[in-house]
Amino acid sequence: MARTHLFKNASVLAGPELKYVRDADIAVSNDTFEYVGPAGVYHGRNPRRDAGDVDADAAPATHDCTGLLVIPGLVNCHTHIGDSVGKDARLEGTVDEKIHPVFGLKSRILSETPPDVLVDFMANSCASMVRGGTTTFVDFREGGVGGVALLRRALSRVPIRCVIMGRTNHYSGEDDIRRNAPLSASGEGELGDVVRSCDGLGVSGANENSDAVLGRYSKCGTLRAIHASETEESVSRSGQMTGVSETVRALGLRPHFLVHMTHASKKDLEAVAGSPDVRGIVVCPRANATLAEGMPDIAYLRSLSNRRLALGTDNVMVNTPDMFREMDYTWKAAMGMGRAQVDPVEILRMATVNAGMILGRKIGQVAPGMLADCVFLDKHAIDLEPVHNPHAAVVHRASASSIRAVMIGGRMVHGSLD
Ligand SMILES: [Zn+2]
């Protein structure tokens, strides 16, 4: 975007509190929000012209946003889109039989499918996310640097932000974990390349890595995350193998965030609170439910954890990468399980503001200085109108069909305002 664009007369969920501003203007300069606030205040300051750029356009391009509700681009904090080719390939059986990183059906499907086909279906999932208002997703990519290369091919076809969390192909067996074997020579050889080719390390879990390996990974100066306490089985396996809780072992990675924590105990959450690197917990309620492995209790996690919560949709094999559906389900499940009111603004924050903070990126908020990622929803869409509570409307009524346009980094990537 070569010039400043001014989006006038919009309603917006602004800033870190997602405060509803009914009549707002939004100025975008290059890839960043420059002004978000009451209508009629911003009068087309042009920083490029101010800086002496004589080629800069004098006046901002204006777009009338009457009737639109602007929300931050949704952030899907946990996906594995690599298995997009395996949709519902197996519904019966245990979690491990389906998606175990080494022994599950998923890994067999991935190894038996031609790479070009994997890339095609990954690109489809990216396109689906953009159409559904997701502007950033955090993909936990298996398969070392080769796996990352496939994901990058898919990303080259679809304009969406991706935080790539890669991993080595190292696997610690039960014996390795018991005797605390170090990272294999091949894993050590891969590690540098994986870190360089990705935005972070996304480790499968403490049950597939010895303490020594987790400790080795913890020294990588990159974003670090790990699956923890996803199933009752994984929790009890850690106890049997090591006498230590799975979550406590996972903290050996010094992760910036943990994924799932569906079966985390009070003690686990206390350990998380004492771990200074941890910024937050990413829960995946629909994926957990689909796998019949219980549900993360949002009210419980919020009451016991002093860390931020965010949302992910997990494996495409078992769940759709649709953040509207994830928010809807999460809100209702939280109230159903807790028999308590949960403010929808908290759920929307999990899908936007909290995610940006956990990732340490300038995303997840419509606010000056943030990357201009947002979704323009039609307030008059048949499922939304009349909008009495904008946060509730977004969380449990909006869908891809309510979207007029999606902007990423100041560029319209889906739909149009004209
Ligand atoms: Zn996962």
Side-chain angles (χ1 to χ4, degrees), residues 78-80 99 106 140 142 167 204 227 230 259-260 284 314-315:
H78 185 63
T79 63
H80 303 265
I99 57 167
K106 163 176 165 161
F140 283 55
E142 303 88 349
R167 68 176 68 152
S204 67
H227 298 81
E230 177 178 4
V259 181
H260 293 305
C284 307
D314 211 350
N315 298 273

Side-chain angles (χ1 to χ4, degrees), residues 299-366:
Y300 167 81
L301 287 170
R302 287 191 68 227
S303 69
L304 281 182
S305 175
N306 57 355
R307 297 297 193 263
R308 290 187 171 86
L309 297 184
L311 275 180
T313 60
D314 211 350
N315 298 273
V316 178
M317 186 172 162
V318 301
N319 192 23
T320 57
D322 181 333
M323 288 295 284
F324 283 121
R325 280 192 182 192
E326 201 68 42
M327 286 192 288
D328 181 19
Y329 185 83
T330 303
W331 186 47
K332 285 160 186 165
M335 293 211 282
M337 289 169 81
R339 297 187 186 84
Q341 290 296 316
V342 176
D343 194 326
V345 74
E346 290 302 327
I347 305 295
L348 185 54
R349 219 176 263 149
M350 289 169 70
T352 54
V353 179
N354 290 3
M357 289 178 172
I358 288 171
L359 296 170
R361 300 221 171 181
K362 290 186 173 185
I363 57 172
Q365 297 179 38
V366 181

Side-chain angles (χ1 to χ4, degrees), residues 4 79 113 120 141 161 176 208 243 260 326 365 372 382 386 403:
T4 298
T79 63
T113 306
D120 285 345
R141 194 68 257 269
R161 291 187 201 282
D176 302 322
E208 293 90 38
H260 293 305
E326 201 68 42
Q365 297 179 38
I382 49 174
I403 292 176

